[in-house]
Amino acid sequence: MPSPIPLTRLLPKDFYPTVDIGTCSSPLTKHPHGSTLQVPAQRLHGKVTSRLWSSVIYWKELHSIQPAGSGGFGSVYKAKYLGETVALKKVKKCVKNQLASRQSFWAELNAAHLRHKNIVRVIAATTCVPAGFGDESCIGTILMEFVGSRDLQQTIYGCAEPLEADRWLRYSSDIVHGMQFLHSQSIVHLDIKPANVLVSSDDVCKIVDFGCSLKLDRGCEVTPVSPYLSHVGGTYTHRAPEMLKGEGVSAKADIFSFGITLWQLITREQPYTGDRQHVLYAVVAHNLRPSVQDRAVFQSEQGRLCSTLLSLCWSGEPRCRPSAQELLPHLEQLRSHLHE
């Protein structure tokens, strides 16, 4: 019988002593007390924006639920909650991999206690879903701030308007600030990509979808991945080589993913073409990376600086990649060249 996955890997330390995950049939260590997700939270009153997140959802206060999108482990809806617009995410049970879908739900809560302008805020989360608000395939519900219906993927590939350098530099800076805060809290996202970055009505980028995230072991820069953590991985086009090889996880995996995302912002092209398995093999065995050699945008002085930064971010050696904190001066240097 394998040892259970450490609950600290998926939830902040302040939460896990009071967690009972029986209603989710989670493989994680089960706490003998209580019957639902219990977290230290203030009673809900006042505006949504003034509260910490809670394990209680007042279902009668949830109205005007409209589909807004869907992904591998769930569907997202726009709704009204206590008079305010929110995003409601239903995490569904994956028929092919039920363990992964359950782990994905708990991984979503890694960032639930965080407050940062470049991270989508969690309002409430629960595994108790009354009849009429879910179905048998729903294993948990998460209420989040509603940022908008536009993500960076749509901005890059779906908009006819130009994506000027000052704009993609601002977007990049938003993402890096969000990553830097996550990493300072020992959380790695592990699925940084344009589709997981929402763009607000104020044109501010916010990182969302923590279903692949991990909490690093305290005091460790690299955390070995348990073979029983089946949700870890992220999107193959943005996955760091060490992740593809099944090696330890560190914050540098997010830096690699950011490098691919930055290339997409600059070029507005897809990073790879061809068979998925070929790409996976070539990234690891032949250091395949998105092309910069034949792109005119990388021929200017600013372009050469971008090319150098990309090479650092997607280095095959995690230790050679800059930290999120170290990325910020590089982006400032790019911005200064833009205004010369």
Side-chain angles (χ1 to χ4, degrees), residues 27-318:
L28 310 183
T29 304
K30 185 173 180 179
H31 187 73
H33 305 295
S35 58
T36 59
L37 173 64
Q38 301 293 323
V39 296
Q42 298 174 352
R43 180 174 173 80
L44 303 182
H45 39 187
K47 290 185 175 295
V48 169
T49 53
S50 67
R51 298 194 297 268
L52 297 175
W53 83 286
S54 171
S55 62
V56 178
I57 295 178
Y58 295 106
W59 297 98
K60 292 182 179 179
E61 299 295 333
L62 200 57
H63 306 286
S64 305
I65 302 174
Q66 302 173 351
S70 62
F73 285 127
S75 299
V76 180
Y77 302 83
K78 181 180 179 181
K80 286 286 186 180
Y81 185 63
L82 295 172
E84 296 190 34
T85 302
V86 298
L88 181 153
K89 182 172 184 177
K90 295 181 180 179
V91 180
K92 63 185 179 182
K93 185 187 302 180
C94 179
V95 176
K96 294 182 179 180
N97 194 339
Q98 295 186 23
L99 175 61
S101 56
R102 291 165 185 158
Q103 290 174 344
S104 176
F105 172 77
W106 294 102
E108 289 273 10
L109 303 187
N110 277 326
H113 64 298
L114 302 182
R115 296 293 176 267
H116 190 274
K117 66 176 183 178
N118 299 122
I119 297 172
V120 172
R121 183 170 61 89
V122 172
I123 297 167
T126 183
T127 58
C128 296
V129 183
F133 285 94
D135 52 48
E136 293 182 358
S137 67
C138 181
I139 62 173
T141 301
I142 302 170
L143 287 183
M144 300 171 285
E145 67 169 308
F146 182 77
V147 176
S149 56
R150 181 167 58 109
D151 61 40
L152 210 53
Q153 177 87 0
Q154 296 164 327
T155 302
I156 293 172
Y157 300 112
C159 297
E161 61 186 271
L163 191 56
E164 303 293 351
D166 60 339
R167 192 171 167 208
W168 61 251
L169 274 169
R170 182 160 43 82
Y171 288 166
S172 300
S173 181
D174 283 349
I175 298 169
V176 173
H177 275 104
M179 288 197 309
Q180 191 275 330
F181 183 69
L182 288 174
H183 297 168
S184 73
Q185 304 299 308
S186 298
I187 295 171
V188 286
H189 186 278
L190 298 182
D191 200 15
I192 296 290
K193 61 180 180 179
N196 285 341
V197 178
L198 299 181
V199 184
S200 74
S201 57
D202 297 325
D203 218 30
V204 173
C205 287
K206 294 175 177 274
I207 299 171
V208 71
D209 198 343
F210 285 81
C212 290
S213 68
L214 284 178
K215 178 112 174 142
L216 296 178
D217 291 337
R218 187 173 301 233
C220 296
E221 293 184 0
V222 179
T223 294
V225 180
S226 166
Y228 309 110
L229 276 175
S230 55
H231 74 293
V232 174
T235 306
Y236 81 94
T237 52
H238 294 67
R239 200 179 307 170
E242 64 271 19
M243 298 292 293
L244 295 175
K245 292 186 285 186
E247 297 175 352
V249 175
S250 74
K252 298 300 182 70
D254 283 347
I255 303 300
F256 184 94
S257 302
F258 168 75
I260 306 295
T261 300
L262 176 59
W263 183 92
Q264 291 175 276
L265 279 165
I266 296 170
T267 65
R268 303 186 79 170
E269 296 181 25
Q270 295 293 342
Y272 304 113
T273 58
D275 177 72
R276 178 179 183 272
Q277 291 303 319
H278 169 77
V279 170
L280 294 176
Y281 175 78
V283 166
V284 174
H286 302 294
N287 291 316
L288 174 68
R289 302 292 186 267
S291 174
V292 298
Q293 301 300 325
D294 56 350
R295 299 293 192 280
V297 68
F298 293 112
Q299 304 309 311
S300 65
E301 178 61 26
Q302 185 194 47
R304 285 189 286 273
L305 289 173
C306 288
S307 179
T308 300
L309 180 57
L310 290 171
S311 296
L312 289 171
C313 288
W314 59 41
S315 169
E317 291 291 334

